[in-house]
Amino acid sequence: MFFHPPDFCVKVIVMSLFKKKCENRILPRHIAIIMDGNGRWAKKHSLPRSSGHVAGAKTFKDIARYCNKIGLEYLTVYAFSTENWKRPKEEVDNIMNLLRDYLKDAENFKSDNIKVKFIGNLEPLADDIKALMKKDEEGSKDATGLKLNIAVNYGGRDEITRAVKKIVADGVKPEDITEDTVSDNLYTAGMPDPDFIIRPSGEYRLSNYLIWQSAYAEYWFSDILWPDFKPRHLEEAIDDFNRRNRRFGGV
Ligand code: IPE
Ligand code: IPE
Ligand code: MG
């Protein structure tokens, strides 16, 4: 092997430029992703919709690990909405079984130091799923890496309705209700609001996702179907986030 000084110099320059780019960029504190497009991905590959959900679950694990690696604080993913029960029973069963398999996988994120929390109305879920979710949360409660929220049977309107019911049941006087009172009664209480919402699959809507919390979020939409979503797409999105001028109503 011969040492080629020019090659070496080019490598050092490229690496230091990359490092500088990483150092200068701002990472959102809380990214929320609508993991959409599994069905269309399956169709594109002439596969059943269930295969799309399997591929989507793999992407979810890869992206969560990547977010942890780059030092993101919070990631909240939309796995199943309060509206998704409208799908054929077979598909709902498939998704629930996939969730069950994911939860049974002891490997999960244990070695990654990721702290897992499930958000949504978990009550109607099967007892074994609820028990596995609890186990997953308990098992990762001391993790100090990425805080990963997985939204299951989640709906923004349902979440706000529940918060209102709780505030009324707690006997809080109307004059004492502030925006913080509402925030403190949502599933995301104590967390920073998502500052960046990512939706692949070519749809331009929130589909009832974090509607209170995303009031001032930045949005990134893309035609990529969720199973095809790679860390480089996330990087592209974060670069875009860095070009946004966030004014929060100011000048
Ligand atoms: C997202 O993919 C997964 C869930 C909603 C559970 P979809 O299943 O909605 O995929 P498309 O939108 O039909 O392609
Ligand atoms: C949103 O996707 C819910 C999840 C990704 C879990 P949907 O596919 O259910 O949303 P719509 O029906 O296109 O609005
Ligand atoms: Mg969809």
Side-chain angles (χ1 to χ4, degrees):
M1 270 298 226
F2 293 101
F3 176 64
H4 296 290
D7 288 1
F8 180 73
C9 289
V10 167
K11 215 170 169 181
V12 168
I13 291 167
V14 169
M15 277 172 71
S16 60
L17 281 175
F18 180 70
K19 197 160 167 255
K20 192 144 187 57
K21 180 175 180 272
C22 294
E23 276 167 4
N24 289 343
R25 75 171 180 175
I26 296 165
L27 209 53
R29 268 194 88 185
H30 185 168
I31 296 180
I33 304 182
I34 301 172
M35 306 188 292
D36 196 18
N38 296 350
R40 279 162 283 173
W41 181 91
K43 195 170 180 197
K44 198 172 118 189
H45 294 275
S46 308
L47 293 166
R49 288 181 64 86
S50 56
S51 302
H53 296 310
V54 170
K58 185 180 177 308
T59 298
F60 152 65
K61 287 188 200 170
D62 292 346
I63 294 297
R65 288 207 172 94
Y66 185 75
C67 287
N68 187 41
K69 197 175 101 181
I70 60 174
L72 185 74
E73 249 183 286
Y74 289 89
L75 173 69
T76 300
V77 295
Y78 208 1
F80 191 85
S81 76
T82 44
E83 287 72 34
N84 286 148
W85 299 103
K86 289 180 196 155
R87 297 188 178 200
K89 187 179 180 303
E90 194 194 342
E91 179 164 349
V92 171
D93 288 348
N94 270 324
I95 295 170
M96 290 301 154
N97 282 330
L98 199 58
L99 177 61
R100 199 174 264 117
D101 289 346
Y102 161 77
L103 290 163
K104 280 183 189 162
D105 179 5
E107 290 303 297
N108 273 342
F109 297 121
K110 291 234 162 67
S111 55
D112 297 292
N113 195 26
I114 293 176
K115 185 173 176 162
V116 182
K117 182 178 165 65
F118 291 90
I119 63 166
N121 176 13
L122 307 180
E123 191 42 41
L125 302 177
D127 287 344
D128 66 317
I129 290 186
K130 280 188 278 193
L132 288 163
M133 284 174 159
K134 222 171 169 177
K135 201 171 154 217
D136 203 7
E137 289 181 342
E138 274 293 307
S140 68
K141 72 176 192 320
D142 297 323
T144 54
L146 175 75
K147 290 173 192 69
L148 171 65
N149 302 314
I150 306 176
V152 181
N153 193 25
Y154 174 87
R157 287 187 172 187
D158 178 62
E159 182 184 35
I160 295 169
T161 307
R162 277 160 187 280
V164 172
K165 283 185 183 168
K166 173 129 196 322
I167 294 164
V168 172
D170 287 349
V172 184
K173 290 199 208 99
E175 59 270 30
D176 292 336
I177 298 174
T178 63
E179 290 187 5
D180 284 343
T181 317
V182 178
S183 294
D184 293 346
N185 282 283
L186 301 177
Y187 299 121
T188 49
M191 301 178 198
D193 284 338
D195 36 9
F196 199 32
I197 309 267
I198 294 177
R199 182 168 195 159
S201 93
E203 309 296 354
Y204 299 85
R205 53 178 172 260
L206 274 182
S207 300
N208 205 8
Y209 194 39
L210 302 171
I211 52 175
W212 172 278
Q213 298 90 331
S214 59
Y216 253 109
E218 296 294 323
Y219 294 81
W220 195 80
F221 297 101
S222 153
D223 285 344
I224 302 153
L225 302 171
W226 176 246
D228 290 329
F229 195 91
K230 299 277 180 278
R232 70 184 150 83
H233 299 120
L234 186 73
E235 284 296 331
E236 216 179 284
I238 294 172
D239 281 349
D240 203 347
F241 177 82
N242 274 262
R243 289 191 287 271
R244 308 282 173 95
N245 181 3
R246 307 189 76 201
R247 287 185 291 275
F248 300 101
V251 284

